[in-house]
Amino acid sequence: LNFTAVAATPKTIDITSNVSWTAASNQTWLTLSSTSGTGVATITATAADNTATTSRTATITITGNGLPAKTIAVTQDGSAISITLPINFEAAGTYLFTDFDGGTGSVIVNPNQTGINTSNKVGRIIRNGGATWAGSYLTLSNKIDFSTLSTFSMKVYSPRAGVPVLLKLEGDVGPSEVSTNTTVANAWETLTWNFTGKPSNVYNKLVFMFDFGTVGNGTANSTFLFDDIYQISSASNTLSLSANALTIAAAANSTNTFNITSNVSWTIASDQTWLTANNVNGTGNATITLTAEMNPANSIRTANVTISAAGVVPQTLIVTQELGTTGVSYLQNPSIKIYPNPSNNVLMIEGFAGNATVVIFDVSGKMLLTERVISKQVDISSLVNGIYLIKITDKKGVTVTQFVKL
């Protein structure tokens, strides 16, 4: 059984029996209209309001004289979270979408953790029939202030280029809307909507209308993903990185670099003390060198490097440090090559010496796959889209590199 966070229509349970029975809930927030009886009966389960933002579970157990017990799992949604800008859909709890005219909004696990968006969760809107303006909206807990940040920025994943995306604001006065078009298909991109001159502190609804002007059909062609909704000062202010992920060697003082392209002042922060940047603030374009301490463990570790600037969307670089070997350096085989990268279902490996073993990790260091390399092919079809580390061990040493699954 599933309940919404706010107490709504109770759920009924039909019992068919020819013996006496008892029914019990293991949680006080879930009550039953009857806890005992004989023969056929219908009992009602009622859930109290869930004031927490996370879901909760209960079990109803029904036992009959001399018979195995029957159980019913009950889940109640968490209360809707208080939504404020920026929105990245990573908060624990329920993002309450209000759907209209054939659009359905929800938060899902990111099925395309590639390119500029490797986050865990994203928003999704599916358009299926209804009106040409079908969509969904989020209600913010605060009114939108346009006094210094006049433009919206949002990452979008569309099945087609040239799709009009209408962002509409509603509130205490007449609505305001701006449309822009997607430019790529099946890849994340950042789109912007300029609301310069619009009044502050009157709008609190963000209305999303993808493929405006067309009736959706519920297929992948009418399914759109979006994430990282920010207010920025201007679309002309830029901040971008040359890479979204880097790998750095396990040895002490290992380095790697990335480039910042910007026309504003920025700052850099690492969430791990073992990884430092040669510059933590600057203005405009720059090349940044990251330096890592030795990785003492025989496991991968990761750090998030965040580059921030006033009035623009912050950028995050995921840095993965190769497996350490308790302080002992290891050789790598420079002949090893993997391709294609990115890859869909099969990764090709060339250049290994003798028998080789392959281990694949996610960016958090969790081992996902291990196998002996018999041919040059490694099947990666079971992996979800995203960034991975592959460790190849042959008689010449241990080689660790990165690949992307699309």
Side-chain angles (χ1 to χ4, degrees), residues 355-369:
N355 294 326
T357 302
V358 165
V359 184
I360 294 177
F361 304 83
D362 64 17
V363 293
S364 69
K366 179 181 178 182
M367 187 174 70
L368 303 176
L369 181 151

Side-chain angles (χ1 to χ4, degrees), residues 181-198:
N181 287 358
T182 63
T183 64
V184 297
N186 299 314
W188 286 101
E189 65 175 325
T190 299
L191 302 180
T192 58
W193 295 260
N194 190 341
F195 287 89
T196 298
K198 300 304 178 184

Side-chain angles (χ1 to χ4, degrees), residues 21-249:
W21 50 263
T22 61
S25 165
N26 70 340
Q27 299 294 329
T28 56
W29 56 264
L30 185 71
T31 58
L32 305 177
S33 60
S34 181
T35 58
S36 63
T38 301
V40 177
T42 297
I43 62 175
T44 301
T46 303
D49 288 352
N50 185 1
T51 58
T53 58
T54 53
S55 62
R56 58 185 179 181
T57 60
T59 300
I60 298 172
T61 302
I62 301 172
T63 57
N65 187 23
L67 297 174
K70 304 291 185 182
T71 60
I72 300 170
V74 180
T75 301
Q76 186 179 28
D77 295 335
S79 296
I81 65 172
S82 178
I83 303 175
T84 58
L85 291 166
I87 302 170
N88 61 13
F89 299 113
E90 299 297 333
T94 301
Y95 286 82
L96 183 60
F97 282 89
T98 303
D99 304 326
F100 56 89
D101 300 317
T104 303
S106 61
V107 175
I108 64 169
V109 174
N110 185 358
N112 301 289
Q113 296 182 17
T114 58
I116 62 172
N117 192 10
T118 58
S119 65
N120 293 323
K121 296 179 182 179
V122 297
R124 180 184 67 183
I125 287 181
I126 300 175
R127 302 176 73 251
N128 190 11
T132 59
W133 55 81
S136 189
Y137 67 81
L138 292 171
T139 301
L140 305 178
S141 57
N142 299 315
K143 301 292 177 64
I144 301 170
D145 182 1
F146 284 120
S147 59
T148 58
L149 304 176
S150 60
T151 300
F152 275 97
S153 169
M154 183 169 74
K155 292 175 183 174
V156 171
Y157 190 100
S158 167
R160 290 168 282 124
V163 172
V165 183
L166 187 77
L167 184 62
K168 184 178 182 180
L169 307 179
E170 295 181 350
D172 300 335
V173 298
S176 180
E177 57 190 44
V178 177
S179 182
T180 190
N181 287 358
T182 63
T183 64
V184 297
N186 299 314
W188 286 101
E189 65 175 325
T190 299
L191 302 180
T192 58
W193 295 260
N194 190 341
F195 287 89
T196 298
K198 300 304 178 184
S200 292
N201 303 314
V202 295
Y203 299 119
N204 68 331
K205 293 178 182 177
L206 286 176
V207 187
F208 308 97
M209 288 180 273
F210 289 87
D211 208 5
F212 185 78
T214 302
V215 176
N217 59 14
T219 67
N221 202 47
S222 294
T223 299
F224 302 90
L225 307 179
F226 55 106
D227 199 7
D228 294 339
I229 306 166
Y230 280 81
Q231 271 188 279
I232 61 176
S233 56
S234 170
S236 62
N237 290 343
T238 60
L239 177 65
S240 62
L241 309 181
S242 59
N244 304 112
L246 290 177
T247 301
I248 201 164

